[in-house]
Amino acid sequence: MKSSPASKTELLERANQLAGKTLGAIAAETGLSLPDSMKRAKGWTGLLVEHCLGACAGSLPGPDFPALGIELKTLPLDHQGKPRESTYVCTVSPRNDLKTAWRTSRVRQKLSHVLWITVEALPDMPLAERRIGTPILWRPDASQEKILKSDWEELTDMIRRGELDKITARYGQYLQIRPKARNARALQSSAGPEGYPDMTLPRGYYLRAKFTRQILDYHP
Amino acid sequence: MKSSPASKTELLERANQLAGKTLGAIAAETGLSLPDSMKRAKGWTGLLVEHCLGACAGSLPGPDFPALGIELKTLPLDHQGKPRESTYVCTVSPRNDLKTAWRTSRVRQKLSHVLWITVEALPDMPLAERRIGTPILWRPDASQEKILKSDWEELTDMIRRGELDKITARYGQYLQIRPKARNARALQSSAGPEGYPDMTLPRGYYLRAKFTRQILDYHP
DNA sequence: GTGGATCCATGTATGGATCCAA
DNA sequence: TTGGATCCATACATGGATCCAC
């Protein structure tokens, strides 16, 4: 693990040094072993990139680069350079989310400043050959934030009305809520219609792929 | 792991079957491997006995035998048959402890009905040769509970006044508070003088050896 | 395409206690 | 003797995401 970058400039330098390299080459440099596939190592690329850039791995709940206020996200791309997957943002924490407004929400904090690291993710391409792309340092513009805020408020209102279990991934234009758990039987403490405790499936906030595609389109 | 005992009678039968056996013999029967010493396996005897009696290992926060409302504790004895160590009860949780009274406290719940399993624990005796003693099913009598309550209330009042960091193991006649952490640098969330969050060393409630000795004296 | 389901790593928290220096 | 320090196992929470049936 490298030390934390001292500045935005240093962070971008490191990220640019990764651009164009294959995961196999990076793994070899860092001494990490390459898994056979992502099936059993879904977060592997993210951990590898965190390691290379000196992010504070697994430290909660701040951004990956606390001194810079920047969050790191890897983004898997298809053969057209479009995102293949939605992007996980953070967990849904019904009690805490109801206590705050959009301005101070964890979703907004996480998304206020993001370093996107794109990675080739074609299903038939061996992991070792997949290449890192050009890094994108992004902040939401006014129109993007407006819609994110609207989505978040719609979802939070449903939670407030005790309708968490009615929320499906179909709500939200850019931001959606989907399961985020070990499996469908996992339960976490929640809040019922009138604030009473309840157990529900753990969920997370995700960015739809069509939204991250828009980000890429503005940073070609 | 055996199934849970269905009744107090069945639990006592199982405990009596362990009495007189050595840890080596029991480990062999259960297929568990005996550690070289307790230095690196401090809770080993407790886990072994839980296994043999069918306790719900590690399930929180109820008693070891939920259906019976009975807590299991092993008690290491010296060459005179006296307790060698204090007995851990439960962790100190400042916020929760302040919300409750003695009647509903976790300390009282844990101690309301205990099955004590004594074990020889002479320092020079090899682990494999140490023998389990006669089980003791115990409930605190009125005078014991009076003092436990008094100790708990004294300690809880100190926590309420924000004096958790001033509490040493010297307070309390039967019940004391001592560190319970990975090491002295470990920190956990606490509550400051006016309810503000604070970080302190994790601590636990313990029964002094002189108290458990009293229990043994009444059940010779 | 994508909504619902799932997988790994890691850090804490809790439950089982005993160690050891003064 | 014992107050303060420490050790192991296991479960849960969170952060990293991708899988895959429909």
Side-chain angles (χ1 to χ4, degrees), chain B residues 15 18-21 116-120 131-135:
Chain B
L18 289 182
K21 290 188 181 175
W116 298 97
I117 304 290
T118 60
V119 189
E120 290 177 330
R131 289 178 190 280
I132 301 286
T134 303

Side-chain angles (χ1 to χ4, degrees), chain A:
Chain A
M1 165 75 83
K2 294 191 178 181
S3 60
S4 276
S7 66
K8 193 193 297 188
T9 306
E10 187 179 349
L11 173 59
L12 276 173
E13 280 173 5
R14 290 189 190 179
N16 277 311
Q17 285 169 8
L18 288 181
K21 289 187 181 174
T22 64
L23 297 184
I26 296 170
E29 286 176 15
T30 60
L32 295 180
S33 64
L34 200 71
D36 292 334
S37 93
M38 293 293 210
K39 285 189 188 180
R40 301 290 233 158
K42 296 184 180 178
W44 186 83
T45 308
L47 297 178
L48 178 71
V49 173
E50 279 186 349
H51 181 96
C52 292
L53 299 183
C56 301
S59 95
L60 70 153
D64 295 298
F65 302 99
L68 308 176
I70 294 176
E71 178 71 20
L72 179 65
K73 288 291 176 193
T74 57
L75 195 53
L77 302 185
D78 66 17
H79 58 98
Q80 300 180 59
K82 297 191 303 184
R84 292 199 68 225
E85 294 285 351
S86 56
T87 299
Y88 169 69
V89 180
C90 62
T91 57
V92 175
S93 177
R95 288 210 188 66
N96 292 332
D97 293 350
L98 296 184
K99 285 185 200 160
T100 187
W102 165 249
R103 291 288 300 178
T104 52
S105 68
R106 290 181 310 147
V107 171
R108 182 168 179 274
Q109 286 173 27
K110 286 273 186 187
L111 296 182
S112 67
H113 209 169
V114 176
L115 179 64
W116 298 98
I117 304 291
T118 59
V119 188
E120 290 177 331
L122 311 159
D124 296 333
M125 180 180 285
L127 235 62
E129 299 176 13
R130 301 184 183 183
R131 290 178 190 280
I132 301 286
T134 302
I136 296 174
L137 193 53
W138 168 82
R139 280 173 171 284
D141 66 27
S143 65
Q144 290 170 333
E145 175 153 351
K146 183 178 174 184
I147 293 176
L148 290 170
K149 176 174 187 283
S150 164
D151 288 343
W152 184 87
E153 290 176 343
E154 175 191 15
L155 294 165
T156 301
D157 281 344
M158 290 189 69
I159 296 172
R160 184 169 288 115
R161 292 195 299 268
E163 299 174 353
L164 177 56
D165 280 327
K166 293 183 187 165
I167 294 179
T168 71
R170 294 175 180 83
Y171 290 93
Q173 187 176 343
Y174 290 166
L175 188 72
Q176 63 180 178
I177 285 181
R178 299 222 308 282
K180 176 76 166 80
R182 188 175 314 279
N183 57 54
R185 275 79 65 199
L187 292 177
Q188 81 177 356
S189 174
S190 174
E194 296 177 1
Y196 288 96
D198 197 5
M199 297 302 285
T200 61
L201 180 65
R203 295 154 212 264
Y205 293 100
Y206 294 81
L207 297 177
R208 291 184 184 277
K210 70 176 181 187
F211 178 60
T212 49
R213 178 178 181 182
Q214 182 190 111
I215 295 173
L216 295 183
D217 288 343
Y218 279 101
H219 296 78

